[in-house]
Structures are given as structure tokens and as C-alpha cells.
Amino acid sequence: MLHILPYWRRYQKQILTALVFLGLGVVGDLLLPLIVSEIINRGVLTGDAGLVLRLGGLMLLVTVLNAGCTVVRCVISSKVSQQFGADLRLDLFSRINRFSFATLSKGDTAGTITRLTNDTAQLVTFTNSLMRVFVRAPALLIGAFIMTIILNPRLAVILLVVVPVIAILMYLGMKLGFPLFSKMQQALDKNNAVIREYLSGVRVVKAYTTFDQEVERFGDTNTGLAAVSTTAQRTIGIFFPIVSFTVNMGLVLTLWFARGWVENSQMQVGEIVAFLNYMMQISMALGLIFAVYQMFIRARASAERIGEMLEEELGEDFEGETLVAKKPNNFGIEFENVVFKYPNGSTTSGATNVSDQREDVLKGVSFVLPAGETLGIIGSTGAGKTTLVQLIPKFYAPDRGRILVGGIDIAEIGEEALRRDIAYVAQQNTLFQGTIAENIRMGKPDATQEELENAAKAACAHEFIAAFPEGYEAVIGQKGVNLSGGQKQRVGIARALIRNAPILILDDCTSAVDVETEAAIMEAIHDRPTCLLITQRISSVINLKYVLVMDDGQVAGFGSPARLMKECKVYQEIYHSQLI
């Protein structure tokens, strides 16, 4: 729970205000049994109707003031708890944005969503209860216990036996319940993961008619969630009747001893009524503590899970000068004996290398690309092409070797600063729900309509965009569901081109367009800045000045296509397999 304390401190004034009104309410609750006792002893038993009316009016006034304190406390607690939840969700989302790629590549998307939603909701509920119930219950418990001692120390001895027994029961419940609620949240993660995978791959499921298998898979995780939830609730539920039984036994003992003292005139009837009221208040307080303590167990489990996110590895400091500000000699790119392997639990997007093997994905890669040139990168699947270009914007850092841009080691540049000078189109192109214009303007938020259209024309996207009735204001569905694969790729390329960055990286992002359209796109970026183009088509690189051939994480060849045809066996095999 230590990770949550800083958020509570932001609202300490409001929380203290709520606690003040809570304290006033507790005082009112403790006064009511005393007033009732006086009404019985001095009014009812003596027949003093005037005193009954006066004390009844006082009792009514205390009740009204109590209600007012409750309303104020509830308003403050609701506002603070919801704002606390909003702050926590925003901070978690902002932190996720700064996670290193090694952390993001672990792929626990469902668990992350659960932490942002369900776990945060548990803490919001607990925060609300903290100001409304959790502090009030022990305060009422202690206050009522003190009042019973004042009324009759001999009867109060019963409470000295009952309360410790209940405390032990609650401790045992917490010790047994906490691990179960942690497992319940983990089971919820698995359940959410199955739902997310099904929704994202629903077309494949329908295409292969595997709905029954998906239902069975979801049924397994759903049954597991139900089982662990039932076990957790049952374990906690066992203690509640035991606590109630213990409290009721205390009431029975109280009435047993009080009967004799009343008969011997050692205790008045009003005192017994007040004592029983205080006993009921203690019983109610214990019930509230037990209920909130269940919330605490779940909140503690959720707080630990959120704490794990708050302790996750972040990327490098985003601050720092951009490449442009450092004034490099040019924007040529140089790799010096670069060696890289993925961290444990991470995989590359678009490649087949699995990090758990902990093998070098890049093995001593070295080459020099002059500024203003386009480098075509080809090779078989899993050769390390995507990994190579992902090192340039510092998605990952090389284990050995250096990467220089214009003679400047990119290790000396902050991540965000470096990425401002790079336009990147990933192999798995992602579009966001919104208009086409909004998606393209992600590359340059302040772009004019003319710049928007010029970028779309260069990416061969203007024609199909203009065909929509709304044009550039046409709304794209989630992940571009209402666009074809080629259209999505062209919108992604337009988003990169509008940025007009000194370095352009295209990671096999024309695979869904025809050869003629790809040639037009290549012609449009010919006069663009330094460009790295990953492709599977030999036709895309055959007219370039520089081509890099990758094979099993190593440079199999580098140079012009003519030179590679003479010296590089891998290039020759690719050429012959596609063009002959």
C-alpha cells in the first residue's frame, strides 16, 4: 500500500475534513445511548413528562446533526475517491507510455488493462470506505468500549474477552484470504486475455469455424476464475458467522449478569438499555470492520499489482537535445560491430526470434549508409532486419557496438529527442479510431490541409481517400477495420512522410500494395532524406545504390545490386527465386 500513500497525501486536507465530520458523527452516536438512559431513569420511571420532552428534543437535535455530518462526509469521500482513481489511472497510463520496449514486449496486455480498471476500482472503493466506514468503525468501537467501562466496569470485562477473540478471527481471515484474492486477480487477467484475443482475432475464428474451441477455452478460464473467487469468498465468509456468534454470546452474558444486579438494585434499567446499545454499536462496528477488512484484503492485493507496474523498468530519460539541435555533420547512419540479444520475456515485432533463447539476434553488424541515400534491406524471415532498424530509434539498446547518426553516438541522445528526427512505419501498421486526417496528422499535429494532401499523394493514398464522401474526414474504424490492407499501409506511410524527418524507416510496409503502387511510392521518397527500406521484393531494391543483405543476424552482403550479384550468394538466391 506504500505506493498509494502519495496519492492520498494529495487530498490530505479533504480527508482530514471528512475525518473531522466523521469524529463529530461518532460523538453523536455515543451520546444517544446516554440520553436514552437518562430518559428512562429520570423521566419514564419517575413520570417526569417535561424531562422526557426536553431530552427527546435533545436526542432529535443530535440525530439531525449526525445526519448532516454524514451527508458532508459522504460528499467529500465520494469526490476524493473518484479524483484519486482518476489520478491513479492517468499516472499509470502515463507510466505505461514511458515503459521500455523490453517491458512492453512481455505482452501482458490483459494484465495491464486489469490493473488500470479492476485493480484501480478496488482501490477507489477502499478509499471511499476509508473515509466513510473504516475510520468510523474503530472509533465507534473504542468509544463504545470506553462508555461501557464508565457505565459498569464489571460488565465491561465481558468485552475484554469478546474483542480479542474477534481480533484473532479477523487476523486469521486476513492471513488466509489475501493469497486467495491475489490469485483471483491473476485469474481475472487470464480471463481478460482470452476475451481480448478472441475479439482481436474474431475473423480468423469465423473463417476457420473454431467458435466451439474458443468457447471451450473461455469456459476453462471462466471456470477457473469462478472457482478461485468462490474459494476466496467462502474462506472469508466462514469467519463472519463466527464473529456474529461471538458478539451474540457477549450480549447473552451481559443480560445474564445484568439481571441479577437489577434485582439487587445494583444497576438501573436505563443503564442496562444504554449498555446494550453500546454493545450493539460495538457489534455494528465489528461488522463494519469485518466488511471493510475484506475490501482491504482485495485493495492490498490490487495495490501490490499496481505497485509492480510502478516499479517496472522505464525507458531512458526523454529529455535532451534533438539530433538537429546537436548539428551533426549529416544524417548518414553507421553501425559499428553491433551485437544485440532480446531481454528475457521480450520478442521483436515482426520477426521470429524468441528472447527466452537468449541468443544473439544481431552478430557484429557493421555498415555505413551515406546521408540522403536509401538503403534497401532484404533477407529471409528471422534474419534480423526488423531488429536492426528498431535499434536506430532506440526501441532497444545494443549489447555491444555503436550506432552513429552523422557521427554522433545515439547513446548520447534522449529517446524522445532522437525520435523527433525519425519517421517510422512499422511492419504491423496500426491505425487509430478517428478520421483519416487525424491519423495522418499524428506525424505532424499542426500540418495544413495542403501538407496533408501532399503526403497522401506521395504515399499513393490521396486517390482512395478523395473517393470517400467525407474525404479526409472519413472515420476509420478500430484498427482501420473499414480499410483494406494496402489502404492502411498507405495511410501509415503518409503519416511518416508528413513528418518530413531527416531519417525515414519503412519496415516492410508495402507488402499489401501492388508492384506498380510500390514503385510509385519509392519514386516519391527518392528525394527524401536518409531512408532505410525493409522489403521482401527484390524489385524494390534492384535500382537502389545501397543494399544490405541480412542472414541469421549477420551481414551477408552490402553494396550495389550489381556488386551483390557477383559476390553475395544469399542475394543471388533471392534474385533467382523471384525474377527467374
Side-chain angles (χ1 to χ4, degrees):
M1 300 292 283
L2 294 177
H3 295 95
I4 309 303
L5 290 178
Y7 293 92
W8 285 342
R9 292 193 189 103
R10 297 179 187 178
Y11 303 100
Q12 55 187 356
K13 291 183 179 179
Q14 295 95 318
I15 292 175
L16 288 174
T17 301
L19 293 181
V20 168
F21 281 97
L22 182 150
L24 293 174
V26 169
V27 171
D29 289 335
L30 295 175
L31 285 175
L32 289 175
L34 281 180
I35 298 174
V36 171
S37 176
E38 289 298 305
I39 290 175
I40 294 174
N41 291 335
R42 294 173 53 195
V44 175
L45 295 181
T46 62
D48 190 343
L51 182 63
V52 171
L53 289 175
R54 289 194 298 274
L55 291 177
L58 177 61
M59 188 174 178
L60 180 62
L61 177 62
V62 172
T63 303
V64 171
L65 292 176
N66 251 9
C69 291
T70 301
V71 170
V72 173
R73 186 177 75 246
C74 289
V75 169
I76 294 175
S77 61
S78 297
K79 183 177 180 181
V80 169
S81 61
Q82 292 304 319
Q83 190 59 50
F84 155 78
D87 290 349
L88 182 58
R89 283 189 294 268
L90 180 60
D91 287 353
L92 287 174
F93 187 82
S94 299
R95 189 172 182 86
I96 291 170
N97 191 48
R98 295 189 60 196
F99 278 174
S100 67
F101 267 75
T103 299
L104 291 172
S105 298
K106 292 177 182 178
D108 188 19
T109 306
T112 300
I113 294 174
T114 303
R115 285 167 170 81
L116 276 169
T117 53
N118 185 273
D119 286 318
T120 303
Q122 295 294 339
L123 290 173
V124 169
T125 301
F126 178 72
T127 302
N128 194 4
S129 300
L130 185 69
M131 289 178 281
R132 294 177 58 185
V133 179
F134 191 62
V135 177
R136 179 176 180 271
L140 188 62
L141 175 66
I142 294 171
F145 185 68
I146 293 173
M147 295 303 294
T148 57
I149 294 175
I150 295 173
L151 277 175
N152 193 309
R154 289 178 295 179
L155 279 179
V157 173
I158 297 173
L159 296 178
L160 292 177
V161 177
V162 172
V163 172
V165 171
I166 294 173
I168 292 172
L169 290 172
M170 293 176 66
Y171 171 77
L172 291 174
M174 181 179 294
K175 194 168 184 65
L176 294 173
F178 174 70
L180 293 173
F181 279 110
S182 295
K183 290 180 180 179
M184 189 170 74
Q185 294 301 105
Q186 293 169 6
L188 184 61
D189 285 348
K190 294 180 181 178
N191 210 47
N192 288 344
V194 173
I195 295 172
R196 181 181 60 83
E197 287 180 358
Y198 170 75
L199 292 176
S200 62
V202 65
R203 294 189 179 187
V204 177
V205 172
K206 289 181 178 295
Y208 286 90
T209 61
T210 58
F211 180 72
D212 290 341
Q213 291 92 316
E214 291 300 313
V215 169
E216 183 180 352
R217 192 160 70 103
F218 177 75
D220 291 340
T221 59
N222 194 42
T223 301
L225 173 60
V228 71
S229 298
T230 302
T231 303
Q233 297 294 345
R234 184 171 58 228
T235 302
I236 294 297
I238 289 173
F239 289 90
F240 186 73
I242 298 175
V243 170
S244 297
F245 175 78
T246 305
V247 172
N248 289 327
M249 284 299 298
L251 290 173
V252 170
L253 290 174
T254 299
L255 291 172
W256 175 265
F257 286 109
R259 176 188 59 83
W261 291 332
V262 170
E263 291 176 352
N264 297 327
S265 300
Q266 294 177 318
M267 193 174 185
Q268 293 180 303
V269 174
E271 290 177 353
I272 295 177
V273 173
F275 195 94
L276 290 176
N277 277 328
Y278 285 128
M279 282 287 291
M280 293 305 298
Q281 286 183 351
I282 291 172
S283 175
M284 181 181 68
L286 289 170
L288 290 174
I289 290 174
F290 193 80
V292 175
Y293 130 83
Q294 293 184 57
M295 297 182 195
F296 172 74
I297 293 176
R298 299 193 68 172
R300 181 184 166 193
S302 295
E304 288 197 359
R305 286 160 52 82
I306 288 176
E308 292 172 0
M309 285 187 65
L310 294 175
E311 293 174 354
E312 282 284 8
E313 177 187 357
L314 296 180
E316 296 177 11
D317 186 4
F318 275 23
E319 301 298 325
E321 291 184 313
T322 63
L323 276 167
V324 173
K326 284 183 173 289
K327 298 179 180 179
N329 300 327
N330 53 57
F331 283 93
I333 297 174
E334 181 177 358
F335 274 58
E336 290 185 353
N337 195 31
V338 172
V339 176
F340 174 76
K341 69 177 78 173
Y342 282 98
N344 281 328
S346 304
T347 59
T348 178
S349 173
T352 58
N353 300 297
V354 179
S355 64
D356 293 339
Q357 298 172 352
R358 297 292 290 157
E359 295 179 353
D360 289 341
V361 181
L362 297 180
K363 307 169 184 177
V365 175
S366 297
F367 66 88
V368 177
L369 175 66
E373 298 289 349
T374 297
L375 173 66
I377 305 175
I378 62 173
S380 60
T381 302
K385 305 183 297 297
T386 293
T387 300
L388 184 145
V389 297
Q390 286 186 343
L391 296 184
I392 298 172
K394 296 180 73 171
F395 292 164
Y396 301 94
D399 295 301
R400 294 195 302 275
R402 296 194 306 164
I403 301 172
L404 299 93
V405 177
I408 299 174
D409 191 340
I410 63 172
E412 302 172 3
I413 307 171
E415 288 182 354
E416 187 176 13
L418 175 64
R419 292 168 192 168
R420 291 195 194 108
D421 293 324
I422 298 175
Y424 181 85
V425 184
Q427 182 176 355
Q428 295 178 349
N429 190 36
T430 300
L431 298 182
F432 297 88
Q433 193 165 359
T435 66
I436 293 176
E438 288 171 345
N439 272 272
I440 296 177
R441 280 199 174 98
M442 286 186 69
K444 187 180 180 182
D446 59 348
T448 65
Q449 184 65 27
E450 182 181 0
E451 290 176 312
L452 199 71
E453 293 181 7
N454 288 338
K457 289 175 181 177
C460 297
H462 177 73
E463 185 175 347
F464 82 79
I465 295 174
F468 286 113
E470 304 88 353
Y472 284 84
E473 297 306 313
V475 176
I476 297 176
Q478 189 176 20
K479 295 185 178 181
V481 67
N482 52 339
L483 298 180
S484 69
Q487 289 173 335
K488 286 190 285 187
Q489 286 188 338
R490 282 177 277 174
V491 171
I493 294 171
R495 181 168 58 196
L497 295 180
I498 201 172
R499 191 163 193 165
N500 199 27
I503 298 174
L504 176 64
I505 300 175
L506 305 176
D507 184 1
D508 198 16
C509 58
T510 58
S511 58
V513 301
D514 57 77
V515 176
E516 184 179 346
T517 302
E518 183 185 34
I521 295 173
M522 292 300 299
E523 181 64 28
I525 67 173
H526 181 71
D527 296 327
R528 294 275 172 169
T530 305
C531 176
L532 293 91
L533 169 69
I534 294 178
T535 181
Q536 300 292 340
R537 296 173 177 170
I538 197 74
S539 59
S540 301
V541 303
I542 200 166
N543 294 318
L544 296 179
K545 187 176 179 181
Y546 296 94
V547 177
L548 176 69
V549 183
M550 294 294 297
D551 184 42
D552 192 26
Q554 297 175 310
V555 176
F558 178 75
S560 66
R563 177 182 175 183
L564 293 173
M565 277 298 293
K566 296 178 181 179
E567 302 176 0
C568 181
K569 183 178 180 181
V570 176
Y571 183 85
Q572 293 170 6
E573 292 174 351
I574 296 173
Y575 180 90
H576 290 301
S577 66
Q578 294 187 21
L579 299 183
I580 297 179

